[in-house]
Amino acid sequence: MELLFSYGTLRSKQIQMQIFNKVLSGTPDQILGFKLKSLQIEEEFGMADYVVAVPSESLEDVIHGVVFEVTNPELLKVDQFESNSYKRVQVKLQSGRTAWVYTENK
């Protein structure tokens, strides 16, 4: 199993049903040294506002979220769901575990 840290839309039960065909159960956690930045993504009916995790210069910056256990094939489904504005990287969580998170794709 892989760990996936979510701070945004992946926490939505509707989105989880759309991607995984089930609702995930997760545990709260956080990543240090990252902050959220506004991001506009063009969608079918116009521009939509989202947030994206970006590295911060301060370890004081924290993003709160939820960690889900997913399979490798499920991770690949999330890769397809996320736009080109995001890339998947591994980070160390405050709990000490290592998880995948989607950050800004520069």
Side-chain angles (χ1 to χ4, degrees):
M1 294 295 276
E2 300 281 346
L3 296 180
L4 175 63
F5 179 81
S6 174
Y7 53 86
T9 55
L10 291 176
R11 293 184 293 182
S12 159
K13 288 179 174 55
Q14 269 185 301
I15 298 294
Q16 291 175 14
M17 286 300 294
Q18 181 184 332
I19 297 171
F20 308 110
N21 208 24
K22 64 181 179 182
V23 174
L24 304 176
S25 61
T27 54
D29 212 326
Q30 45 201 346
I31 52 175
L32 308 175
F34 281 82
K35 59 186 177 182
L36 294 177
K37 172 182 159 183
S38 293
L39 178 69
Q40 283 204 322
I41 297 176
E42 188 171 348
E43 293 188 343
E44 186 178 353
F45 300 106
M47 299 301 283
D49 293 319
Y50 292 94
V51 293
V52 62
V54 294
S56 168
E57 295 177 14
S58 171
L59 286 177
E60 307 272 317
D61 288 326
V62 175
I63 298 176
H64 298 272
V66 177
V67 179
F68 300 110
E69 284 190 4
V70 295
T71 64
N72 217 21
E74 288 172 334
L75 260 184
L76 296 176
K77 287 181 181 180
V78 181
D79 286 346
Q80 291 175 350
F81 171 79
E82 294 292 358
S83 80
N84 296 359
S85 300
Y86 296 88
K87 68 178 176 183
R88 180 166 44 102
V89 299
Q90 282 193 308
V91 295
K92 189 160 204 147
L93 304 173
Q94 187 180 29
S95 64
R97 300 184 298 170
T98 300
W100 292 104
V101 66
Y102 288 88
T103 62
E104 185 175 36
N105 188 13
K106 287 188 175 180

